């Protein structure tokens, strides 16, 4: 599955809130991801950001009023509505949500929304008290029942100085929601998937630990891709700096033992496991309860084996499809196939982490997918999002 946004027509509606400036970043990112973007602004949105910003970013004129929206002899709001694959309103004020819920069409944006056959998705942004008002929550509930999408606002410090719910969702999250609504391939619907990601931290003392350079990007991409394709996802993650994918059930873990206990609690109820985490093979035998003070002597730490989570899953598996990841610096094929057999896996993705451009921390990856009893499929260099979809394509081809 290719980048979902490439070539898609996204109509972006901008209403008058301070978060309107963030719509510029959203527009720029959507365009970089290959989408075509046209922008409608309400009159109050133009008080926050000049339309020229969006005209420059989209290389399209910005649509401002019902009577000026016509390019040819078409009716402006109708032709915009027909053009769009998705209508995203970001930021969405309480006012536009209220109008949508009441069927009011008194400007280009609300009129276009009423003419729209494609899905409309709101990203609300407003003061936390406004967001909590029963009338607004009632409008959201009603619109959801009618099939409108909502991107929940974030929590934090709002432009007015208050703290609480009401911040426009992060642009990365808005993009994930857009991808979700645009992706028509829902071949994982009904599947429960467990994904592990990131490194583990093996404590030496309260302020030091042993870890590895895994960023978690590969596992998070797998989790996001499974969600796009309709799966229910439990993401068990080691410490990372990443924003979790939308709609994932996230379990934060620290050490290999912690991850082991969490994974085993979930395992029985899932159909598939992507064990993407870079789990430490060893931990410090005795973690010091106080910070170890340096002396002139060398420090010797005794390391003991951690449980191999995947091997344990291989022993317990019944219906579950198990996909392992083997990061190797040499002799990739032999090591990967050896693990496929010894850990009782169905698939293993071998990747060479000795190269700088792919593997740990990078946005790119390449590798070879080894399939039990079948051979292998090479997956060339691509970004981790597309790479995740390619692995899932190969897995789904064989299990459905
Ligand atoms: O044996 P090796 O660590 O190379 O195997 C890699 C695979 O095994 C990965 O899928 C990794 O998540 C998993 N693993 C595990 N528990 C460990 C070590 C690795 O589940 N203690």
């Amino acid at each position: 599955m290719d980048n979902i946004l490439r070539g898609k027509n996204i109509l972006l509606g901008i209403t008058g809130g301070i978060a309107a400036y963030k719509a510029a970043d959203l527009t720029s990112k959507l365009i970089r991801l290959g989408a075509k973007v046209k922008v409608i602004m309400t009159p109050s949105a133009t008080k926050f950001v000049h339309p020229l910003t969006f005209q420059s970013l989209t290389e399209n004129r910005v649509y401002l009023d019902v009577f000026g929206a016509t390019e040819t002899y078409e009716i402006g709001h109708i032709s915009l509505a027909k053009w769009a694959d998705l209508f995203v309103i970001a930021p969405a004020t309480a006012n536009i949500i209220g109008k949508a819920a009441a069927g009011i069409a008194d400007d280009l944006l609300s009129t276009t929304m009423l003419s729209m056959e494609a899905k409309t998705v709101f990203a609300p942004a407003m003061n936390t008290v406004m967001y909590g008002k029963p009338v607004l929550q009632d409008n959201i509930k009603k619109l959801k029942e009618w099939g409108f999408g909502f991107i929940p606002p974030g929590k934090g410090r709002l432009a007015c100085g208050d703290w609480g719910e009401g911040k426009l969702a992060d642009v990365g999250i808005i993009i994930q929601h857009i991808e979700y609504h645009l992706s028509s391939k829902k071949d994982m619907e009904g599947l429960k998937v467990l994904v592990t990601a990131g490194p583990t931290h093996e404590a030496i003392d309260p302020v030091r630990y042993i870890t590895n350079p895994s960023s978690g990007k590969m596992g998070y991409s797998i989790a996001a891709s499974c969600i796009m394709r309709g799966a229910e996802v439990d993401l068990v993650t080691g410490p990372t700096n990443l924003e979790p994918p939308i709609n994932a059930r996230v379990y934060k873990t620290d050490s290999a033992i912690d991850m082991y206990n969490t994974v085993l609690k979930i395992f029985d109820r899932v159909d598939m496991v992507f064990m993407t985490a870079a789990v430490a093979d060893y931990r410090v035998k005795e973690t010091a309860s106080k910070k170890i003070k340096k002396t002139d002597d060398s420090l010797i730490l005794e390391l003991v084996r951690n449980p191999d989570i995947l091997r344990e899953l291989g022993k317990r598996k019944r219906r579950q499809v198990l996909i392992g990841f083997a990061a190797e610096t040499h002799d990739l094929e032999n090591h990967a196939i050896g693990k496929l057999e010894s850990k009782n896996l169905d698939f293993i993705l071998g990747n060479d982490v000795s190269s700088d451009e792919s593997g740990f921390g990078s946005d790119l990856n390449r590798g070879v997918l080894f399939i039990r009893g079948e051979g292998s499929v090479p997956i060339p260099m691509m970004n981790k999002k597309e790479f995740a979809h390619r692995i899932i394509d190969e897995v789904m081809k064989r299990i459905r």
Side-chain angles (χ1 to χ4, degrees):
M1 193 191 276
D2 209 357
N3 177 7
I4 297 159
L5 287 167
R6 198 165 292 143
K8 290 285 171 18
N9 294 341
I10 296 177
L11 185 59
L12 177 63
I14 305 172
T15 62
I18 176 65
Y21 76 93
K22 295 182 184 167
D25 186 27
L26 174 62
T27 305
S28 152
K29 292 207 164 102
L30 289 172
I31 285 172
R32 261 187 278 155
L33 288 164
K36 290 184 225 142
V37 181
K38 289 189 181 178
V39 172
I40 300 179
M41 296 176 85
T42 60
S44 46
T46 64
K47 306 267 191 253
F48 289 95
V49 189
H50 199 281
L52 197 54
T53 307
F54 297 99
Q55 184 180 306
S56 311
L57 288 168
T58 61
E59 297 180 2
N60 272 316
R61 56 174 289 208
V62 172
Y63 300 88
L64 300 170
D65 64 79
V66 182
F67 305 104
T70 327
E71 268 165 6
T72 57
Y73 297 106
E74 294 165 324
I75 301 169
H77 61 277
I78 305 286
S79 65
L80 283 171
K82 283 203 171 124
W83 174 85
D85 294 315
L86 189 72
F87 191 14
V88 181
I89 303 181
T93 53
N95 182 46
I96 189 66
I97 294 170
K99 279 195 211 174
I104 294 171
D106 66 349
D107 59 14
L108 180 62
L109 200 154
S110 50
T111 311
T112 307
M113 197 191 306
L114 261 189
S115 330
M116 186 69 64
E117 277 182 54
K119 184 139 189 159
T120 297
V121 180
F122 294 90
M126 67 198 73
N127 170 275
T128 189
V129 177
M130 287 172 89
Y131 189 68
K133 278 278 153 41
V135 63
L136 186 95
Q137 290 302 324
D138 218 47
N139 285 339
I140 292 180
K141 191 165 160 262
K142 199 193 289 178
L143 287 165
K144 279 185 181 167
E145 282 165 10
W146 290 340
F148 288 82
F150 274 85
I151 305 174
K155 286 191 186 128
R157 187 186 180 279
L158 306 172
C160 54
D162 284 358
W163 283 80
E165 208 170 3
K167 261 170 87 80
L168 182 70
D170 285 346
V171 167
I173 305 257
I174 297 178
I175 289 176
Q176 281 190 53
H177 279 270
I178 294 175
E179 288 173 336
Y180 179 80
H181 288 296
L182 287 174
S183 80
S184 49
K185 193 169 183 179
K186 298 283 185 229
D187 57 346
M188 298 184 88
E189 218 136 59
L191 281 180
K192 294 190 171 68
V193 179
L194 164 60
V195 182
T196 67
T200 60
H201 283 180
E202 307 301 322
I204 298 171
D205 68 14
V207 294
R208 302 180 181 97
Y209 51 78
I210 298 171
T211 190
N212 60 62
S214 167
S215 62
K217 284 181 193 162
M218 193 65 244
Y220 278 55
S221 296
I222 300 255
S225 305
C226 291
I227 290 167
M228 297 290 149
R229 297 168 80 138
E232 195 184 302
V233 173
D234 288 303
L235 172 64
V236 176
T237 174
T240 73
N241 294 318
L242 303 176
E243 194 65 52
I246 57 161
N247 300 340
R249 216 176 289 128
V250 180
Y251 304 80
K252 290 190 175 170
T253 64
D254 191 60
S255 63
I257 300 263
D258 192 10
M259 189 176 278
Y260 176 85
N261 291 330
T262 309
V263 165
L264 287 192
K265 269 187 215 145
I266 300 168
F267 183 62
D268 281 343
R269 62 175 156 86
V270 301
D271 307 299
M272 192 181 281
V273 180
F274 288 89
M275 192 72 207
T276 325
V279 186
D281 291 320
Y282 295 90
R283 68 178 179 279
V284 178
K285 187 175 181 190
E286 273 169 46
T287 304
S289 59
K290 294 198 174 114
K291 183 179 172 187
I292 301 172
K293 303 307 286 181
K294 60 177 168 284
T295 65
D296 289 338
D297 295 331
S298 8
L299 173 70
I300 295 170
L301 293 173
E302 187 178 347
L303 302 181
V304 293
R305 274 300 304 263
N306 269 329
D308 189 315
I309 307 172
L310 193 51
R311 190 177 296 274
E312 186 57 36
L313 301 186
K315 284 185 203 152
R316 294 181 185 213
K317 86 169 178 191
R318 298 189 314 277
R319 65 181 192 289
Q320 291 94 340
V321 177
L322 291 188
I323 302 110
F325 285 73
E328 305 291 347
T329 54
H330 59 282
D331 214 0
L332 179 71
E333 180 161 351
N334 280 340
H335 284 129
I337 293 175
K339 287 172 196 174
L340 189 68
E341 298 295 332
S342 71
K343 299 194 190 198
N344 192 21
L345 310 179
D346 303 287
F347 299 85
I348 192 160
L349 190 282
N351 77 341
D352 181 352
V353 286
S354 61
S355 123
D356 282 347
E357 42 188 357
S358 62
F360 283 142
S362 164
D363 286 333
L364 300 173
N365 209 354
R366 73 161 157 229
V368 183
L369 185 69
F370 297 91
I371 305 139
R372 188 79 174 263
E374 199 186 303
S376 62
V377 180
I379 305 182
M381 182 85 79
M382 60 185 79
N383 74 50
K384 284 184 173 171
K385 251 182 174 173
E386 291 178 30
F387 194 83
H389 277 299
R390 282 294 296 277
I391 300 173
I392 299 167
D393 286 343
E394 294 298 335
V395 171
M396 292 308 293
K397 245 193 252 173
R398 287 166 178 87
I399 67 156
R400 279 259 155 112

